[in-house]
């Protein structure tokens, strides 16, 4: 590779106190209305949408080229809350290049990383500040907020990994997480 094509090293500020990226170049926002079809209680989600369609989660990025060899990284911020009695969660996805792994370092909040493979294996790992969850290749992944504050993670994955939402939307995750009688229930 010629020297002109080399990326320049750079630094990005991460506000560890507030669990935010400083001056992100890009921000992906998903509202309640973007979550249709994902929760068990569709009517409860519709009520949240008609009640103001609040922010569900946000992903802060300073993107790098979507190429093999690069490392994409972001801060994922999932709001706390319930749809009926089901804990707020992200849509979840496989990577378009399924053999790419991902690291989630939790900076704030409480929750789970829910994972499944296309042949039906399911696993979930606890997330709380200082827990680093390793999502191996081939595992679809979704974060779930079981706490009262935001669930925030710093994520790192291969630059060209991509997001495949379609397959997991069709398959669904085998387990859901609820708050019932003050207790977190996975079923
Ligand atoms: C990207 C990584 C996260 C998620 C984010 C939102 O590979 O796993 O940045 O994109 O947590 O979730 P989702 O499922 O809507 O992309
Ligand atoms: Zn991912």
């Amino acid at each position: 590779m010629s020297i002109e094509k080399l990326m320049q090293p750079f630094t990005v500020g991460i506000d560890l106190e507030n669990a935010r990226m400083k001056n992100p170049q890009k921000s992906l926002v998903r509202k309640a209305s973007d979550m249709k079809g994902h929760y068990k209680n569709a009517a409860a989600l519709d009520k949240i949408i008609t009640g103001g369609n609040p922010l569900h989660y946000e992903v802060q990025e300073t993107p790098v080229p979507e190429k093999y060899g690069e490392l994409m990284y972001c801060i994922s911020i999932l709001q706390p809350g319930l749809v009926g009695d089901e804990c707020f969660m992200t849509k979840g996805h496989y990577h378009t290049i399924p053999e790419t792994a991902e690291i989630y370092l939790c900076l704030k909040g409480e929750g789970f990383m829910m994972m499944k493979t296309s042949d039906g294996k399911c696993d979930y790992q606890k997330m709380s500040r200082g827990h680093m969850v390793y999502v191996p290749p081939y595992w679809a992944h979704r974060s779930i907020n079981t706490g009262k504050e935001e669930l925030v993670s710093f994520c790192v994955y291969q630059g060209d990994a991509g997001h495949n939402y379609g397959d997991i939307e069709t398959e669904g995750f085998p387990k859901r997480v609820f708050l019932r009688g003050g207790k977190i229930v996975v079923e």
Side-chain angles (χ1 to χ4, degrees):
M1 178 180 281
S2 72
I3 199 84
E4 291 81 14
K5 287 190 181 151
L6 277 179
M7 263 181 82
Q8 286 300 305
F10 62 92
T11 300
V12 171
I14 305 289
D15 178 347
L16 291 173
E17 208 53 46
N18 297 302
R20 287 289 187 279
M21 190 179 288
K22 292 180 185 168
N23 307 313
Q25 281 178 19
K26 205 173 135 189
S27 185
L28 165 83
V29 169
R30 290 211 208 277
K31 296 187 160 198
S33 54
D34 296 311
M35 295 303 291
K36 284 193 172 192
H38 290 281
Y39 289 98
K40 193 169 181 182
N41 188 339
L45 181 67
D46 284 344
K47 214 168 160 194
I48 293 173
I49 296 167
T50 50
N53 195 21
L55 172 71
H56 217 71
Y57 59 96
E58 185 185 348
V59 183
Q60 299 183 316
E61 284 183 358
T62 299
V64 297
E66 294 181 16
K67 290 195 318 202
Y68 174 79
E70 301 280 355
L71 290 175
M72 195 70 86
Y73 55 90
C74 64
I75 298 254
S76 171
I77 307 156
L78 174 59
Q79 296 302 307
L82 297 171
V83 177
D85 56 0
E86 189 171 0
C87 297
F88 273 18
M89 59 195 186
T90 59
K91 283 171 181 267
H93 57 268
Y94 289 102
H95 289 157
T96 311
I97 300 179
E99 62 269 29
T100 55
E102 181 159 352
I103 279 171
Y104 275 73
L105 173 62
C106 183
L107 302 178
K108 183 180 175 185
E110 296 284 333
F112 291 117
M113 179 60 66
M114 183 62 71
M115 292 167 275
K116 81 158 287 237
T117 60
S118 56
D119 62 356
K121 290 188 193 72
C122 182
D123 191 280
Y124 57 94
Q125 300 286 320
K126 178 109 183 71
M127 297 176 83
S128 67
R129 184 172 165 83
H131 279 75
M132 192 205 84
V133 178
Y134 187 77
V135 180
Y138 300 105
W139 288 79
H141 42 286
R142 138 183 297 168
S143 25
I144 301 174
N145 190 341
T146 58
K148 290 195 170 70
E149 56 177 4
E150 297 169 333
L151 177 66
V152 187
S153 301
F154 177 71
C155 321
V156 185
Y157 54 103
Q158 187 172 302
D160 58 352
H163 295 77
N164 168 2
Y165 294 102
D167 287 350
I168 195 66
E169 262 178 40
T170 311
E171 295 167 13
F173 283 84
K175 289 186 198 291
R176 295 179 175 275
V177 180
F178 301 93
L179 179 67
R180 289 181 183 146
K183 288 210 165 75
I184 296 299
V185 178
V186 182
E187 68 175 35

